[in-house]
């Protein structure tokens, strides 16, 4: 290599270093998403990722999967650094998970589970007691609003799975709404926040369904991390989430999520879920 | 209607109609073929959809995943003809014969018993009876397909149910008609100007020929010949040749007519000359007789005076006759008098004596005579000479002059062979053409026509021949002459 080549190499290396984003040089922070939110909007997630990257100092990206279990597996295997899951898996795997932040919905870190039905049914469903010989759609086996609540209410109504005509998992709250709208199921157990967000966004599936029952408030699906495996930028991520409501870009993102902010939260928010799970056989939560 | 239009309109219009009719026929045939092939195409599509569904639904059915099966059916239905309009539906039926998921859950609700039950009037087989694909053709044309879904070890997991209703197989007449109409519109848009141009080009020589034909007879043929269009088209070429031939024939005819007219003029001059000679010759015979009388008995005063008067009137008649041949000359003539008949009889007496013919006269004049004397004396002379000739030897002739307020009539009867009406007309025609010597009767007819009178044969006369000449008993106005 002559002197000219040596200079060119040094200059090009310097330029590459200057134009490369600061976050790229640091460690990536990957967040897994479950159907607790309407997370299939790639452009939005990309925008949110850029927002968090700019504020945490590391590259933040999102990974969405339909199954809660898949996201948990990715978290436990270290392939993702944080996950936005439901309160039920947090309670169920509390020894392996740490609470990172809790979203604020309408200013509160709580939400409700809904029982919805198809509009225009010949035999209307007015509550859990009317589900005998009906088809009921769940969201996910690890969803509080999309399964656990339904199990508790069915038991309370004195109905077992055999008393229903059929049940199935729709792999997401949105799919539950679409199943009920298409009358693939006559009723569905769904996250109230998701249903309200769908209604806010004018999705047709919501227009063909109606809410017949709402649960007591439960802790809002939180962001969690694997216990004992804190990411170097975890605190920076937390700060960024907590301060989203303080700037215009963050407010726009929160508005798109139909949220008002994030809070650190505490385990007590999910006590109602714990108590409920303890009453459902096979929930994995023991008293 | 169409035939009244010019060719440059007829041709594009005819082409457009032809295209339209062709398009309709093609559309009808296409629709027929489409109707028959559409069913085969639809069945082929269903076959491919079944293959796809069986392979894709197998793991979903094994995993008891109703939602994803529904999503698969919903997406596949988009490929099935008629699904979007509610005329086709798909379902996956579980091993118990109940609907596991369907593309249209409103009609095929989840958990509904299907196999082994009746669906829309069609009894469906039990699950164990469906070992291979089943196709159930409905009476109205609808089709139901059932295909078992098996695991790799041959266990029946469920079935794919696919139903397509009859309207899906029907030809889309409206779409075919619209397509045909677009084709017709494009063809018409192209053919109308082309047809217009072709029609104009085709009719141009015809129009030129028509103009030439219209001018035939009014303009010289030599200039028209040059304007007859020369074309390679055999039909138009024949028409052009025919026009040229027509012009040649017309030229020949014009020349022949010119020659005939010249000959006719010469003949007329000859007839005129003969008539003059005849009309002058007739009184001359009487005048010569009068001069002979004057020579023999001129010493007697009364005979001399009477003969001189006779000579004077005869010469006046000749003068009047000559003057009558000159239409531009104004003639001064006296009215007829009853004595004129006696003069004329005296003039022809010599001729009658030659064949011992007897002439009887009768005058029945009840009103004043206002007709000119010269033409009447001419007529009397001609008819009497003609009657003498027709009466033959020892013949009897009667001349009658009659007059009333309306007309003056002179009749001559002779005892000769009766003259028929046809012979009379033939004689008049022959005299006008070929026989100058027989101009007597022809001149009588001409004078009758000239003075608005008549000259005819009395067909009611049984014995002999009676000719009647009459004129209106009024003074003829000069301008009328």
């Amino acid at each position: 290599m002559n002197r000219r080549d040596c200079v060119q190499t040094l200059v090009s290396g310097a330029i590459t270093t200057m134009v490369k984003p600061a976050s790229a040089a640091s460690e990536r922070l990957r967040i897994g998403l479950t159907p607790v939110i309407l997370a299939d909007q790639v452009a939005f997630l990309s925008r949110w990722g850029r927002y968090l990257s700019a504020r945490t100092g590391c590259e933040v990206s999102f990974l969405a999967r339909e199954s809660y279990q898949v996201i948990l597996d990715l978290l436990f295997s270290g392939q993702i650094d944080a996950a936005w899951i439901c309160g039920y898996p947090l309670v169920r795997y509390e020894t392996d998970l740490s609470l990172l932040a809790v979203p604020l919905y309408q200013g509160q870190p709580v939400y409700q589970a809904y029982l919805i039905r198809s509009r225009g049914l010949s035999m209307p469903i007015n509550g859990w007691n009317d589900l005998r010989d009906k088809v009921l759609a769940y969201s996910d086996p690890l969803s509080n609003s999309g399964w656990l609540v339904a199990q508790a209410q069915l038991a309370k109504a004195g109905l077992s799975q055999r008393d229903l005509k059929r049940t199935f998992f729709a792999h997401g709250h949105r799919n539950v709404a679409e199943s009920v709208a298409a009358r693939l199921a006559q009723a569905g157990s769904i996250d109230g926040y998701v249903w309200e967000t769908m209604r806010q966004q004018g999705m047709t599936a919501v227009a063909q369904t109606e809410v017949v029952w709402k649960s007591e408030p439960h802790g809002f699906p939180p962001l969690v991390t694997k216990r004992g495996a804190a990411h170097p930028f975890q605190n920076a991520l937390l700060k960024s989430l907590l301060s989203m409501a303080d700037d215009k870009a963050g407010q726009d993102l929160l508005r798109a999520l139909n949220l008002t902010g994030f809070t650190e939260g505490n385990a007590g928010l999910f006590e109602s879920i714990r108590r409920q799970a303890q009453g459902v056989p096979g929930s994995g939560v023991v008293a | 209607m169409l035939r009244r239009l010019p060719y440059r309109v007829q041709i594009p219009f005819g082409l457009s109609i032809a295209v339209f009719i062709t398009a309709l026929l093609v559309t009808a045939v296409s629709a027929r073929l489409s109707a028959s092939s559409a069913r085969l195409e639809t069945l082929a599509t269903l076959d491919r959809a079944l293959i796809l569904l069986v392979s894709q639904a197998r793991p979903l059915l094994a995993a008891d995943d109703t939602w994803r099966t529904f999503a698969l059916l919903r997406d596949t239905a988009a490929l099935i003809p008629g699904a979007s309009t509610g005329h086709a539906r798909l379902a996956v039926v579980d091993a118990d014969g109940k609907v596991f998921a369907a593309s249209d859950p409103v009609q095929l609700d989840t958990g509904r018993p299907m196999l082994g039950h009746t669906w829309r009037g069609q009894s469906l087989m039990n699950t164990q009876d469906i070992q291979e694909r089943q196709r159930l053709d409905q009476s109205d044309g609808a089709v139901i397909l059932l295909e078992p879904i098996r695991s790799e070890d041959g266990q029946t997991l469920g079935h794919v149910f696919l139903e397509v209703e009859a309207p899906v197989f029907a030809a889309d007449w409206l779409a075919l008609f619209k397509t045909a109409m677009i084709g017709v519109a494009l063809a018409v848009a192209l053919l109308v100007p082309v047809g217009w141009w072709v029609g104009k080009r085709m009719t141009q020589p015809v129009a030129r020929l028509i103009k030439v034909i219209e001018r035939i007879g009014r303009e010289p043929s030599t200039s028209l010949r040059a304007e007859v269009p020369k074309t390679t088209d055999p039909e138009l070429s024949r028409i052009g040749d025919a026009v040229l031939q027509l012009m040649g024939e017309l030229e020949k005819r014009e020349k022949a007519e010119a020659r005939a007219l010249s000959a006719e003029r010469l003949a007329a001059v000859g007839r005129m000359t003969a008539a003059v000679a005849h009309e002058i010759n007739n009184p001359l015979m009487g005048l010569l007789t009068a001069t002979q009388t004057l020579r023999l008995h001129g010493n007697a005063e009364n005979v001399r005076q009477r003969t001189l008067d006779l000579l004077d009137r005869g010469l006046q008649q000749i003068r009047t006759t000559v003057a009558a041949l000159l239409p531009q000359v104004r003639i001064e003539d006296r009215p007829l008098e009853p004595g004129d008949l006696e003069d004329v009889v005296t003039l022809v007496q010599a001729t009658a004596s030659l064949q011992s013919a007897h002439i009887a006269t009768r005058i029945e004049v009840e009103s004043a005579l206002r007709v000119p004397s010269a033409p009447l004396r001419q007529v009397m002379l001609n008819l009497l000479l003609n009657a003498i000739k027709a009466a033959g030897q020892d013949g009897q002739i009667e001349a009658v002059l009659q007059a009333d307020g309306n007309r003056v009539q002179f009749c001559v009867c002779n005892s000769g062979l009766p003259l028929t009406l046809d012979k009379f007309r033939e004689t008049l025609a022959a005299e006008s053409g070929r026989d100058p010597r027989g101009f007597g009767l022809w001149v009588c007819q001409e004078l009758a026509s000239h003075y608005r009178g008549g000259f005819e044969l009395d067909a009611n006369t049984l014995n002999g021949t009676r000719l009647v000449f009459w004129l209106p008993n009024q003074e003829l106005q000069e301008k009328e002459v």
Side-chain angles (χ1 to χ4, degrees):
Chain A
M1 179 182 292
N2 56 27
R3 189 172 61 185
R4 174 176 293 177
D5 294 337
C6 183
V7 170
Q8 283 183 341
T9 303
L10 289 172
V11 170
S12 61
I15 292 172
T16 304
T17 305
M18 288 171 65
V19 298
K20 195 172 183 179
S23 58
S26 60
E27 192 173 352
R28 293 176 62 188
L29 200 158
R30 293 155 299 183
I31 302 172
L33 299 177
T34 61
V36 295
I37 61 167
L38 297 171
D40 55 352
Q41 299 176 15
V42 176
F44 168 75
L45 294 177
S46 176
R47 191 154 53 97
W48 194 14
R50 287 197 301 274
Y51 174 86
L52 293 175
S53 298
R55 281 155 182 77
T56 58
C58 73
E59 182 181 349
V60 177
S61 61
F62 291 94
L63 185 72
R65 292 290 184 271
E66 283 187 346
S67 168
Y68 291 53
Q69 187 62 56
V70 170
I71 288 296
L72 287 172
D73 290 343
L74 292 173
L75 182 64
F76 292 144
S77 63
Q79 296 182 56
I80 58 176
D81 306 300
W84 193 345
I85 59 171
C86 187
Y88 169 46
L90 174 63
V91 172
R92 180 170 179 171
Y93 301 110
E94 60 184 349
T95 56
D96 300 319
L97 298 172
S98 294
L99 182 62
L100 177 64
V102 180
L104 294 172
Y105 172 54
Q106 296 176 337
Q108 299 295 324
V110 295
Y111 79 118
Q112 291 173 291
Y114 287 177
L115 175 66
I116 60 173
R117 70 181 180 192
S118 306
R119 282 188 182 273
L121 286 177
S122 57
M123 295 178 66
I125 297 168
N126 297 314
W128 296 97
N129 293 324
D130 298 328
L131 292 180
R132 185 181 297 276
D133 292 330
K134 297 292 190 301
V135 180
L136 178 64
Y138 299 127
S139 174
D140 190 279
L142 289 176
S143 169
N144 172 53
S145 58
W147 185 76
L148 187 64
V149 170
Q151 301 309 305
Q153 294 303 318
L154 285 173
K156 195 174 177 180
L159 295 174
S160 67
Q161 292 292 325
R162 293 179 182 176
D163 294 325
L164 274 63
K165 192 175 188 179
R166 190 185 289 270
T167 62
F168 63 88
F169 291 101
H171 311 287
H173 295 291
R174 177 177 177 170
N175 294 344
V176 170
E178 292 192 0
S179 297
V180 177
R183 298 198 186 181
L184 185 66
Q186 282 100 43
S189 183
I190 191 172
D191 185 325
Y193 154 74
V194 172
W195 192 88
E196 296 291 351
T197 304
M198 289 177 70
R199 188 176 68 167
Q200 186 186 60
Q201 296 181 2
M203 294 185 178
T204 55
V206 173
Q208 293 166 5
T209 62
E210 50 193 353
V211 178
V212 297
W213 179 87
K214 294 180 180 180
S215 73
E216 60 176 321
H218 296 291
F220 200 93
L223 277 84
V224 300
T225 58
K226 182 181 177 184
R227 187 178 293 276
H231 190 277
F233 289 88
Q234 182 175 310
N235 288 333
L237 175 64
L238 178 59
K239 286 181 181 177
S240 299
L241 291 172
L242 296 179
S243 62
M244 278 185 68
D246 299 335
D247 59 75
K248 175 79 168 52
Q251 289 170 359
D252 290 342
L253 292 167
L254 287 171
R255 195 176 299 112
L257 286 166
N258 194 25
L259 296 174
T260 53
F262 284 89
T263 182
E264 291 186 71
N266 57 72
L269 284 171
F270 305 99
E271 272 307 310
S272 60
I273 297 175
R274 181 192 303 279
R275 286 196 304 273
Q276 190 173 242
Q278 287 171 345
V280 175
S283 68
V285 179
V286 295
Chain B
M1 176 69 181
L2 183 61
R3 291 180 179 176
R4 295 180 182 174
L5 297 173
Y7 273 117
R8 58 182 175 276
V9 175
Q10 277 192 41
I11 290 174
F13 190 65
L15 284 172
S16 302
I17 290 176
V19 169
F20 181 73
I21 293 172
T22 304
L24 287 181
L25 292 175
V26 169
T27 302
V29 174
S30 301
R32 193 71 183 168
L33 292 174
S34 175
S36 60
S37 64
R39 185 177 184 86
L40 296 175
E41 291 178 6
T42 303
L43 290 173
T45 303
L46 301 183
D47 180 64
R48 292 191 291 271
L50 272 181
I51 294 171
L52 172 71
L53 282 176
V54 167
S55 62
Q56 296 294 314
R58 183 183 296 118
L60 303 179
L61 200 55
D64 197 26
D65 194 335
T66 298
W67 167 255
R68 288 200 172 97
T69 305
F70 167 70
L72 171 67
L73 293 170
R74 186 181 57 186
D75 295 342
T76 307
L79 306 174
I80 302 299
S84 60
T85 55
H87 291 303
R89 56 200 60 85
L90 304 164
V92 170
V93 182
D94 62 17
D96 296 330
K98 296 179 180 177
V99 174
F100 183 71
S103 62
D104 184 3
V106 175
Q107 292 197 41
L108 293 168
D109 49 301
T110 308
R112 175 197 184 98
M114 282 289 288
L115 300 184
H117 294 78
T118 300
W119 166 250
R120 297 164 71 91
Q122 173 68 43
S123 181
L124 301 179
M125 292 176 286
N126 291 315
T127 53
Q128 61 270 22
D129 296 333
I130 305 174
Q131 299 301 318
E132 56 186 10
R133 180 183 296 184
Q134 298 293 323
R135 177 174 149 182
L136 308 175
D137 291 311
Q138 308 289 81
S139 58
D140 63 348
V143 169
I144 293 176
L145 293 171
L146 290 167
E147 177 91 13
I149 303 172
R150 291 195 176 88
S151 63
E152 292 182 355
D153 57 357
Q155 177 67 34
T156 300
L157 301 174
H159 296 81
V160 173
F161 170 90
L162 200 161
E163 182 187 33
V164 177
E165 295 177 1
V168 176
F169 298 110
D172 190 352
W173 293 98
L174 184 61
L176 288 168
F177 182 75
K178 284 181 179 175
T179 305
M181 285 303 101
I182 291 172
V184 168
L186 291 173
V188 168
L190 176 67
L191 288 176
V192 164
V194 171
W196 187 276
W197 179 77
V198 171
K200 191 174 180 182
R201 186 172 177 182
M202 286 178 67
T203 55
Q204 206 167 21
V206 177
R208 288 172 59 191
L209 271 174
I210 291 171
K211 285 183 180 177
V212 169
I213 292 171
E214 287 175 344
R215 291 155 60 195
I216 289 176
R218 290 183 293 174
E219 296 182 23
S221 301
T222 50
S223 62
L224 292 178
R225 282 180 181 278
E227 296 184 24
V228 174
K230 301 291 187 296
T231 174
T232 56
D233 182 84
E235 299 299 328
L236 288 175
S237 180
R238 287 178 60 189
I239 296 174
D241 292 344
V243 169
L244 291 173
Q245 186 179 355
L246 174 65
M247 291 166 67
E249 295 294 333
L250 285 174
E251 285 176 2
K252 290 179 183 175
R253 183 175 172 182
E254 285 173 357
K255 290 177 180 176
E257 284 181 347
R259 285 196 298 273
L261 182 60
S262 178
E264 181 68 21
R265 285 173 180 165
L266 290 174
V269 171
R271 284 197 300 273
M272 183 70 72
T273 306
V276 170
H278 183 271
E279 299 308 316
I280 293 174
N281 187 52
N282 281 344
L284 279 180
M285 288 185 67
L287 294 177
L288 289 173
T289 303
T291 55
Q292 187 66 25
T293 302
L294 187 61
R295 187 175 292 116
L296 294 177
H297 308 288
N299 294 328
E301 180 60 26
N302 62 334
V303 174
R304 186 176 69 250
Q305 190 60 43
R306 186 181 168 197
T307 304
L308 287 174
D309 291 342
L310 179 63
L311 287 171
D312 180 62
R313 288 193 292 271
L315 290 171
Q316 286 292 340
Q317 181 183 346
I318 292 170
R319 176 174 173 268
T320 305
T321 301
V322 173
L325 296 173
L326 302 172
Q328 69 277 17
V329 177
R330 189 171 178 177
I331 302 170
E332 295 292 340
D333 194 9
R334 64 175 173 82
L336 184 70
E337 295 175 358
D340 285 323
L341 177 58
E342 294 177 7
D343 282 353
V344 173
V345 171
T346 302
L347 289 174
V348 301
Q349 197 61 54
T351 304
S353 299
L354 292 177
Q355 51 190 59
S356 302
H358 178 259
I359 300 174
T361 61
R362 184 156 47 97
I363 297 173
E364 299 174 358
V365 176
E366 300 173 356
S367 176
L369 296 170
R370 292 186 288 275
V371 297
S373 62
L376 260 295
R377 287 173 60 94
Q378 185 71 54
V379 168
M380 291 175 187
L381 189 61
N382 288 358
L383 291 182
L384 285 171
L385 289 174
N386 184 276
I388 292 167
K389 184 179 179 182
Q393 191 69 30
D394 299 324
Q396 297 294 321
I397 297 157
E398 181 183 24
V400 180
L401 176 64
Q402 296 169 309
D404 57 16
N406 295 324
R407 69 183 199 175
V408 176
Q409 179 172 292
F410 178 68
C411 305
V412 177
C413 297
N414 71 77
S415 58
L417 292 174
L419 182 65
T420 63
L421 188 58
D422 292 338
K423 184 68 178 175
F424 174 66
R425 289 172 179 167
E426 185 182 342
T427 303
L428 287 179
E431 286 180 348
S432 67
R434 296 188 298 270
D435 185 9
R437 292 170 299 178
F439 264 99
L441 297 182
W442 180 74
V443 169
C444 291
Q445 178 171 274
E446 290 299 310
L447 288 172
S449 174
H450 185 75
Y451 289 97
R452 312 282 172 81
F455 178 54
E456 53 211 24
L457 172 68
D458 184 2
N460 296 322
T461 302
L462 299 176
N463 298 319
T465 301
R466 181 171 180 263
L467 295 175
V468 180
F469 179 92
W470 64 270
L471 293 179
N473 190 8
Q474 59 185 23
E475 293 177 356
L476 194 63
Q477 298 297 318
E478 186 179 340
K479 61 182 180 183
E480 293 177 357
V481 178

